[in-house]
Amino acid sequence: MKGLIEMDSGVEYMVDNDKLQELGYVFDLEARVDVKKTELTKAIQKTVMEMGVNITNAAVAASATPTAPGATEEQAEDKSKTGAAKVNQVTVAALKWSEDILALKDRFDNIWRQAFQSDQMLQIALNRSMADTINSFSRSSEYISLFIDDNMKKGIRNKTDAEVDSTLEKAIILLRYLQDKDLFETYYKKHLCKRLLLNKSQSISVEKQMISKMKIELGNSFTLKLEAMFKDMTLSEELTNGYKSYVNKLGDADRTRVDLGINVLTSMTWPLEAFRGGATADEDQGNLQIIFPASIDRVKTGFTRFYNEKHSGRKLTWQTNMGDADIKATFARAGKDGKPRTHDINCSTYAMLILLLFNGLPSGASLAFEEIQAATNIPPSDLARNLQSLAVAPKTRFLVKEPMSREINPGDRFSYNENFKSQFVKIKVGVVSAGNKVEGDRERKETEKKNNDSRGYVIEACLVRIMKQRKVLAHTALLNETITQLSAQFKPDVNMIKKKIESLIEREYLERVDEAAVPSYRYLA
């Protein structure tokens, strides 16, 4: 049988050419001589792994393709825009990897049903091979999260309920095979954070449906923080409405007053580093004192006072890098026959602060990069990205840059573009992206470091929980039980478990049992 299975026209050839009938004959023959079907199982597992490696290598090769600089997030969102495929090459490769893995599973599921008579032992072998294929790729957690992210933003558009449910089920299938579910949770929270705060999700009800499926598959503890994010969004909407009512009761409406929409986020729940953008670690945007114009600062102070009256003991930290603004801008020669025209501009909060600096400037006057930075205190990397959108991007060139170039450099000067023209009344300014949606090496190392730190706390909690219940336990038994309990979340590192045991002994949570026949530990209440 082994010679038949491994020959040139054997199992691998049959799979490649969809020879289902011939595969069925091989299955029948193998079943007659070996109940376990060992040789066929090995051949199928080898074929699955080889095809999986090819899919992964193709994704890695596509990710290595250089991308075009200066791409906006809006371009990345819409593939129909010129150059978007090149700009978003790494993300496209990530999505293709997920789709190809799903296609691979569908292909072998079909073989299993039609040729292998839905044999249970072969199903176990196929599932093991699919899991090994997915977990052998270091970026599988991030890629699966991106696959869900893309579907939530674009993939479910104009689909029926049945089609949406099918898409969600595909995501759950990938997640079911994934070993590092805690790392997936980290990426999923980042992507969900951006979808909710930037209003990119096609349907909040579908988002909640996805969370419900995850809860069924992975348990309540996995989705606690995800559900808390939706709760914060609901409470924020109530707060915004409450603040508007509060302002209306103060007296006559001020027509020049800035209207405010607010999202109050629980700091321990939301992965706010997802909005760090191109900032370096030294540019801690949450702690920067951004300089606001008086009209904006008055609204900011008013809401802070309103919030403190409702919630004593809480501290609000304004995350300016995460906001956006709607402003009206009048350009002197934007209309027909050189007449003034007013546009409604949607832009980031940083872009709004930059544009407002040019309100009081005389015609022809300009500001240097350093002057804008000093007047707003916007981090230099974010300032450069927003100035690229406002002075370099052709469709939103509200400012004139001197000297004109793609890059923003110290010493560059900017002035109000009186000659700006657009056929659209409403204009959205896309902030120039710091890179692709897929994390770079630096961001990935940071994510993995945070995830490993988090794993350390989880391992400690598990050790204490086991020892509190068992009181006395042998070293080997404690290791095995810890690995068993945590395997649903991630594959624990044995050396890390040993280090955490030593740490618990040093802090007098555990002690060694000297009189025990084998190395053992005792829980100290």
Side-chain angles (χ1 to χ4, degrees):
M1 281 305 300
K2 185 176 181 181
L4 172 66
I5 288 170
E6 292 181 354
M7 63 192 298
D8 290 343
S9 57
V11 167
E12 189 173 349
Y13 169 82
M14 294 174 190
V15 170
D16 289 341
N17 293 278
D18 294 322
K19 303 286 187 180
L20 299 183
Q21 190 174 13
E22 286 83 347
L23 284 167
Y25 294 152
V26 173
F27 173 81
D28 288 337
L29 283 171
E30 176 81 350
R32 292 178 187 180
V33 296
D34 182 3
V35 177
K36 294 182 179 180
K37 297 166 279 291
T38 307
E39 295 301 329
L40 179 60
T41 300
K42 285 181 183 178
I44 289 294
Q45 286 185 308
K46 180 185 174 185
T47 305
V48 172
M49 288 297 295
E50 286 177 353
M51 294 175 80
V53 167
N54 291 338
I55 290 170
T56 299
N57 289 343
V60 172
S63 300
T65 304
T67 57
T72 67
E73 290 175 357
E74 286 303 304
Q75 287 175 315
E77 294 298 324
D78 189 354
K79 292 181 185 177
S80 65
K81 292 187 179 180
T82 306
K86 290 182 181 178
V87 168
N88 219 12
Q89 188 67 41
V90 181
T91 303
V92 170
L95 300 176
K96 190 175 187 305
W97 178 86
S98 299
E99 290 162 359
D100 287 348
I101 289 292
L102 284 168
L104 180 68
K105 175 175 167 49
D106 288 343
R107 183 174 186 176
F108 278 93
D109 281 350
N110 185 49
I111 292 172
W112 173 71
R113 283 191 302 270
Q114 295 194 38
F116 299 156
Q117 301 172 20
S118 300
D119 182 79
Q120 188 176 1
M121 297 185 73
L122 275 165
Q123 183 187 31
I124 293 170
L126 284 170
N127 285 337
R128 190 180 297 121
S129 298
M130 286 301 302
D132 290 344
T133 298
I134 290 172
N135 292 308
S136 65
F137 185 37
S138 61
R139 309 204 84 156
S140 55
S141 298
E142 183 182 8
Y143 280 19
I144 292 170
S145 180
L146 277 169
F147 172 75
I148 299 172
D149 181 64
D150 184 73
N151 276 291
M152 288 297 181
K153 290 194 289 190
K154 296 177 289 185
I156 62 172
R157 190 182 298 164
N158 301 324
K159 284 190 175 181
T160 64
D161 290 345
E163 289 172 329
V164 168
D165 194 62
S166 174
T167 301
L168 299 185
E169 195 57 43
K170 286 181 180 179
I172 292 297
I173 287 169
L174 290 173
L175 187 54
R176 194 173 291 147
Y177 287 120
L178 192 62
Q179 195 170 61
D180 295 331
K181 292 182 174 66
D182 59 333
L183 188 57
F184 166 81
E185 182 188 5
T186 300
Y187 284 115
Y188 192 82
K189 282 196 296 185
K190 286 184 180 181
H191 297 146
L192 177 63
C193 171
K194 284 193 171 185
R195 289 201 300 275
L196 292 179
L197 297 181
L198 299 178
N199 295 316
K200 295 292 185 183
S201 183
Q202 284 289 313
S203 169
I204 295 299
S205 64
V206 174
E207 292 277 9
K208 291 180 177 179
Q209 191 179 341
M210 185 70 208
I211 301 297
S212 298
K213 285 181 177 290
M214 287 183 183
K215 183 186 285 189
I216 294 169
E217 188 69 30
L218 305 171
N220 291 341
S221 59
F222 185 87
T223 58
L224 273 177
K225 287 189 176 180
L226 302 178
E227 290 173 315
M229 292 166 75
F230 285 98
K231 185 178 179 182
D232 279 352
M233 295 300 289
T234 302
L235 292 175
S236 295
E237 189 176 345
E238 293 172 3
L239 266 174
T240 299
N241 294 334
Y243 178 64
K244 288 178 179 178
S245 300
Y246 168 79
V247 171
N248 291 335
K249 292 175 183 177
L250 293 178
D252 295 336
D254 183 356
R255 296 185 66 183
T256 63
R257 186 182 181 88
V258 176
D259 194 16
L260 179 69
I262 202 81
N263 286 317
V264 179
L265 315 176
T266 308
S267 59
M268 297 300 291
T269 299
W270 293 75
L272 302 184
E273 67 273 10
F275 280 84
R276 183 184 294 172
T280 63
D282 296 330
E283 296 172 359
D284 188 353
Q285 295 162 328
N287 295 325
L288 278 174
Q289 296 298 315
I290 301 298
I291 301 170
F292 294 93
S295 58
I296 305 296
D297 197 55
R298 182 167 58 131
V299 177
K300 175 175 169 283
T301 305
F303 180 80
T304 303
R305 189 185 306 115
F306 164 77
Y307 186 81
N308 289 337
E309 287 175 2
K310 291 178 70 69
H311 305 282
S312 60
R314 296 186 186 179
K315 182 185 177 184
L316 284 179
T317 303
W318 292 80
Q319 301 288 330
T320 323
N321 58 307
M322 295 164 64
D324 67 338
D326 293 314
I327 58 178
K328 288 186 179 294
T330 302
F331 295 89
R333 293 187 284 273
K336 294 179 180 178
D337 303 323
K339 294 181 179 179
R341 187 178 182 185
T342 300
H343 293 276
D344 294 327
I345 299 173
N346 175 263
C347 59
S348 70
T349 303
Y350 285 160
M352 173 197 71
L353 296 177
I354 295 167
L355 290 173
L356 289 178
L357 293 177
F358 293 87
N359 264 350
L361 287 183
S363 180
S366 64
L367 293 173
F369 178 89
E370 293 79 4
E371 291 174 314
I372 296 174
Q373 208 278 324
T376 59
N377 207 26
I378 297 172
S381 58
D382 283 310
L383 180 59
R385 291 168 58 214
N386 280 275
L387 283 171
Q388 272 187 301
S389 297
L390 297 173
V392 177
K395 294 181 180 179
T396 57
R397 199 170 290 169
F398 306 130
L399 304 177
V400 176
K401 177 180 178 293
E402 292 290 339
M404 187 59 195
S405 63
R406 289 182 64 86
E407 300 300 322
I408 304 295
N409 301 303
D412 289 349
R413 300 195 68 85
F414 302 87
S415 58
Y416 165 63
N417 183 8
E418 295 181 352
N419 297 315
F420 173 80
K421 291 184 179 180
S422 175
Q423 59 181 326
F424 303 107
V425 174
K426 293 184 178 181
I427 303 171
K428 183 173 177 62
V429 180
V431 178
V432 173
S433 176
N436 290 312
K437 294 177 192 174
V438 175
E439 285 185 333
D441 291 336
R442 180 178 65 83
E443 293 86 358
R444 181 165 175 76
K445 285 178 182 176
E446 287 180 11
T447 301
E448 288 181 344
K449 183 180 180 303
K450 288 179 181 177
N451 199 64
N452 284 333
D453 292 343
S454 178
R455 284 183 178 182
Y457 299 132
V458 173
I459 289 171
E460 276 193 359
C462 184
L463 288 167
V464 171
R465 190 168 58 247
I466 292 168
M467 291 304 300
K468 190 173 184 179
Q469 183 182 14
R470 304 290 289 275
K471 304 302 180 186
V472 177
L473 198 61
H475 173 79
T476 305
L478 180 57
L479 282 180
N480 291 337
E481 194 160 341
T482 303
I483 291 170
T484 301
Q485 288 196 17
L486 295 177
S487 59
Q489 293 175 261
F490 58 91
K491 185 179 180 181
D493 180 56
V494 174
N495 289 328
M496 184 181 285
I497 297 175
K498 291 178 179 178
K499 286 179 183 178
K500 292 304 173 183
I501 291 173
E502 292 299 325
S503 175
L504 290 172
I505 291 172
E506 288 174 9
R507 288 179 284 156
E508 299 183 351
Y509 282 90
L510 306 178
E511 68 174 1
R512 288 186 174 86
V513 181
D514 296 330
E515 64 273 14
V518 294
S520 302
Y521 307 103
R522 181 185 291 116
Y523 177 71
L524 300 175

